[in-house]
């Protein structure tokens, strides 16, 4: 059972906890829990309310501010989708009722829609999918709630790799990649990358096989294989539709090559670490944020030479 308890804004002798009965919250589930109020002194109360809210928001103008949770976004330069907006009255009296000192518990139950996307937030000011619930406790004629409490929480939307046919087949990419050094072409390298499958789960290790043929005039020094996550944010800016993208790389392996001119070699193994906790491909349910994954092979030679194979698409799911 998870709980989040903290000092309440308003009465310094009251504390509140928003407690879920579930370890993980998923789209399409019935979420149960309760609000627990601890009073060290009697308190007049007219109502106890909770609201569940979830949305996606993008910000596609040139940005220089970190909108960590998106509060204060300018909708003129982005887009917004609301997935959850559910108010629930837990307690309401005809007039103020005195709640005695001690613990007071108010259960709640809310149905999460099937189409809610997974939570996603990079704190980069470009976009996010976030969820929270907000409790308000107040008197009848008070200008604003005397007590309020917000809890942010994550939602997971399952994505089975079995529903993506291409994720179940091996990845096999062969390409002659141009070798570049200081703005000049220096021949090419034949790169053949194979993976036993194209779909992976967080926590899984990636097995790889890379065959290289060095057609350059230099010794190939090092090879790095990474998983690139490309996130596309769609919104509007000054009345026109606009998309921005952000790329982040996760290292699969690093190898020392020392492959001479006209030599061939095959390298195989598994990733140095496990696939990190990544959101699923596509971010299903969200129309303004799209996520794709690619495997990239990067090879270095000389002082500044490089060869790259970076168009190998893979899929990240949440379950087999």
């Amino acid at each position: 059972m998870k709980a989040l308890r903290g000092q309440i804004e308003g009465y310094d002798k009251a504390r509140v906890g928003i407690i879920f009965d579930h370890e993980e919250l998923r789209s399409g589930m019935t979420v149960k829990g309760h609000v627990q109020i601890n009073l060290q002194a009697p308190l007049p109360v007219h109502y106890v309310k909770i609201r569940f809210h979830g949305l996606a928001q993008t910000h596609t103008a040139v940005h220089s501010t970190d909108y960590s949770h998106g509060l204060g976004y300018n909708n003129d330069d982005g887009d917004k989708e609301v997935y959850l907006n559910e108010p629930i009255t837990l307690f309401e009296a005809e007039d103020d009722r005195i709640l005695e000192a001690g613990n007071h518990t108010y259960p709640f139950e809310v149905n999460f829609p099937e189409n809610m996307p997974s939570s996603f937030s990079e704190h980069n000011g470009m976009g996010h999918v976030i969820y929270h619930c907000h409790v308000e406790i107040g008197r009848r004629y008070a200008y604003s709630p005397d007590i309020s409490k917000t809890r942010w929480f994550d939602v997971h939307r399952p994505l089975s790799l079995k529903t993506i046919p291409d994720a179940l087949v091996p990845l096999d990419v062969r390409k002659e990649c141009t070798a570049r050094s200081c703005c000049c072409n220096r021949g090419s390298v034949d790169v053949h990358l194979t993976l036993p499958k194209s779909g992976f789960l967080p926590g899984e290790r990636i097995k790889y096989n890379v065959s290289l043929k060095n057609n350059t005039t230099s010794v190939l020094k090092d090879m790095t294989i990474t998983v690139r996550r490309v996130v596309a944010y769609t919104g509007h800016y000054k009345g026109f539709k606009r998309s921005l993208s952000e790329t982040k790389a996760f290292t699969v392996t690093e190898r020392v090559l020392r492959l001479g001119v006209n030599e061939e070699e095959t390298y195989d193994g598994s990733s140095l670490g496990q696939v990190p906790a990544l959101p699923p491909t596509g971010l299903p349910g969200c129309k303004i944020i799209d996520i794709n994954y690619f495997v990239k092979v990067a090879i270095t030679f000389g002082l500044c030479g490089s060869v790259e194979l970076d168009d190998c698409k893979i899929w990240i799911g949440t379950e087999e």
Side-chain angles (χ1 to χ4, degrees):
M1 181 177 294
K2 292 183 176 180
L4 182 67
R5 304 173 188 274
Q7 187 64 45
I8 304 304
E9 300 171 4
Y11 291 128
D12 56 3
K13 293 185 178 181
R15 292 180 179 273
V16 69
I18 304 173
I19 304 168
F20 294 122
D21 294 344
H22 318 275
E23 289 295 330
E24 183 179 76
L25 305 181
R26 293 192 169 205
S27 61
M29 75 181 298
T30 298
V31 175
K32 297 181 180 180
H34 61 274
V35 174
Q36 184 168 309
I37 304 170
N38 176 268
L39 302 177
Q40 297 183 26
L43 182 70
V45 172
H46 173 55
Y47 63 84
V48 179
K49 299 179 180 180
I50 187 170
R51 178 184 292 272
F52 289 83
H53 194 61
L55 59 83
Q57 207 160 15
T58 59
H59 184 70
T60 51
V62 177
H63 60 280
S64 58
T65 303
D66 178 19
Y67 298 86
S68 295
H69 278 301
L71 304 180
Y73 260 61
N74 182 355
N75 291 330
D76 292 337
D77 59 18
D79 261 328
K80 180 170 71 174
E81 293 180 340
V82 176
Y83 310 112
L84 182 65
N85 187 18
E86 189 71 29
I88 303 174
T89 299
L90 303 178
F91 168 81
E92 189 170 27
E94 292 185 1
D95 209 335
D96 289 348
R97 178 182 298 180
I98 300 297
L99 296 185
E100 300 298 330
N103 292 321
H104 302 266
T105 300
Y106 301 92
F108 60 76
E109 180 176 313
V110 59
N111 295 317
F112 282 3
E114 293 280 355
N115 63 343
M116 287 169 50
S118 296
S119 300
F120 176 72
S121 181
E122 284 295 293
H123 304 287
N124 58 11
M126 298 173 71
H128 54 228
V129 179
I130 53 176
Y131 298 92
H132 74 274
C133 54
H134 183 73
V135 171
E136 292 184 347
I137 305 169
R139 294 165 294 170
R140 183 176 182 83
Y141 298 108
Y143 179 74
S144 61
D146 296 302
I147 302 172
S148 62
K149 181 70 177 182
T150 298
R151 175 176 179 175
W152 302 89
F153 57 87
D154 290 332
V155 171
H156 301 276
R157 176 170 174 165
L159 176 63
S160 173
L161 294 176
K162 293 180 181 179
T163 63
I164 308 173
D166 289 342
L168 305 178
V169 300
L171 177 72
D172 191 323
V173 179
R174 186 191 300 268
K175 186 176 181 181
E176 181 180 1
C177 302
T178 301
R180 294 180 172 85
S181 177
C182 300
C183 302
C184 300
N185 293 343
R186 295 296 182 88
S188 64
V189 176
D190 293 335
V191 183
H192 184 197
L193 170 66
T194 59
L195 305 178
K197 56 182 180 177
S198 301
F200 301 92
L201 303 176
E204 187 175 0
R205 291 186 180 273
I206 299 177
K207 295 181 179 180
Y208 64 88
N209 184 289
V210 180
S211 296
L212 304 176
K213 181 180 179 182
N214 184 5
N215 301 318
T216 71
T217 58
S218 302
V219 174
L220 302 184
K221 296 168 57 178
D222 303 294
M223 175 178 69
T224 302
I225 302 176
T226 57
V227 171
R228 292 191 308 120
R229 185 187 69 195
V230 181
V231 183
Y233 303 89
T234 300
H236 291 82
Y237 181 62
K238 295 184 178 181
F240 296 94
K241 187 174 181 179
R242 180 178 181 181
S243 293
L244 298 176
S245 63
E246 180 191 42
T247 300
K248 189 172 183 178
F250 306 90
T251 300
V252 173
T253 189
E254 295 176 325
R255 298 285 295 262
V256 176
L257 300 181
R258 303 298 184 263
L259 187 63
V261 177
N262 295 325
E263 291 184 352
E264 300 181 37
E265 188 61 76
T266 298
Y267 306 88
D268 58 16
S270 61
S271 55
L272 296 173
Q274 300 174 335
V275 176
L278 299 171
T281 295
L283 202 61
C286 182
K287 298 178 181 178
I288 58 178
I289 301 176
D290 186 34
I291 303 176
N292 287 288
Y293 296 93
F294 303 87
V295 173
K296 177 180 177 179
V297 180
I299 302 165
T300 62
F301 63 91
L303 294 177
C304 59
S306 65
V307 178
E308 295 183 352
L309 173 68
D310 60 357
D311 53 358
C312 310
K313 183 176 176 61
I314 62 172
W315 285 261
I316 301 295
T318 62
E319 57 189 36
E320 291 285 358

